[in-house]
Amino acid sequence: MTLVKVCGMTNADDVDQAVAAGVDMVGFVLVPWSPRAVELETVCALRRRVPRGVEAIGVLADETAGYATQVLEVAELDRVQVYGPHADETREVLGERAIVAHRLPADTPGEADPILLDRAFGDEPTEADLAEHWAAVAALGANRRVMLAGALTPENVGAAVAAARPWAVDVARGVEREPGLKDHARVAAFVAAAHGSAA
């Protein structure tokens, strides 16, 4: 079954609802310029609301492997999701506890560790854009742990899972009322559609 990560959690109510909806992972953004950014202290508090069996993931950009390790330890997270020039170094240090973000499949590392394949489509991606992205994930093979992100919504995630067969899907904006605040009905619909479409 394809796993579901809902990212950009900023408050206890949204964490609790996502867990109740059946998410497999929740994400906390520790990137100061993001509209979904939270402080490490907040991540520590919200992490305590995440039950065993649901992974808690910190999202970092342009941070060193040392800082990523510190975040894992201080907030007691399961993994970090990393963007930027230090990402591969972080993967070398943390192994599968680091999910490295890539824009294109050609950039991806070896097969052992999980990766995120993410694309910025702008406000209105075309069906052809999405189909190309999903096909790229499918081409990496069923044995790769690829997390699919980029313009996913409750309306299209079923088709995305069917086409790409990813290890996991990652959503933030597609289930929000506004940046950092989740629409609980859309979260539940996204989880149901992603899990229902998985083989």
Side-chain angles (χ1 to χ4, degrees), residues 28-31 37-48 58 60 67-77 80:
F28 306 105
V29 178
L30 288 152
V31 180
V38 287
E39 299 292 334
L40 185 56
E41 181 180 1
T42 301
V43 175
C44 292
L46 294 176
R47 171 66 178 97
R48 292 192 284 271
L60 305 173
Y67 182 73
T69 301
Q70 179 185 351
V71 166
L72 276 176
E73 294 174 351
V74 170
E76 299 182 349
L77 299 175
V80 287

Side-chain angles (χ1 to χ4, degrees), residues 3-102:
L3 304 180
V4 175
K5 172 174 171 273
V6 175
C7 201
M9 295 294 187
T10 64
N11 63 83
D13 190 35
D14 285 351
V15 171
D16 292 348
Q17 186 279 332
V19 168
V23 299
D24 305 287
M25 309 172 188
V26 293
F28 306 105
V29 178
L30 288 152
V31 180
W33 45 261
S34 169
R36 301 167 185 89
V38 287
E39 299 292 334
L40 185 56
E41 181 180 1
T42 301
V43 175
C44 292
L46 294 176
R47 171 66 178 97
R48 292 192 284 271
R49 307 187 74 88
V50 182
R52 186 181 302 274
V54 177
E55 289 194 12
I57 299 175
V59 179
L60 305 173
D62 305 326
E63 300 288 0
T64 65
Y67 182 73
T69 301
Q70 179 185 351
V71 166
L72 276 176
E73 294 174 351
V74 170
E76 299 182 349
L77 299 175
D78 297 291
R79 303 180 198 260
V80 287
Q81 180 175 307
V82 289
Y83 295 76
H86 303 292
D88 286 330
E89 176 193 354
T90 301
R91 179 181 57 83
E92 290 173 6
V93 172
L94 295 175
E96 67 173 20
R97 295 190 73 191
I99 301 171
V100 176
H102 295 272

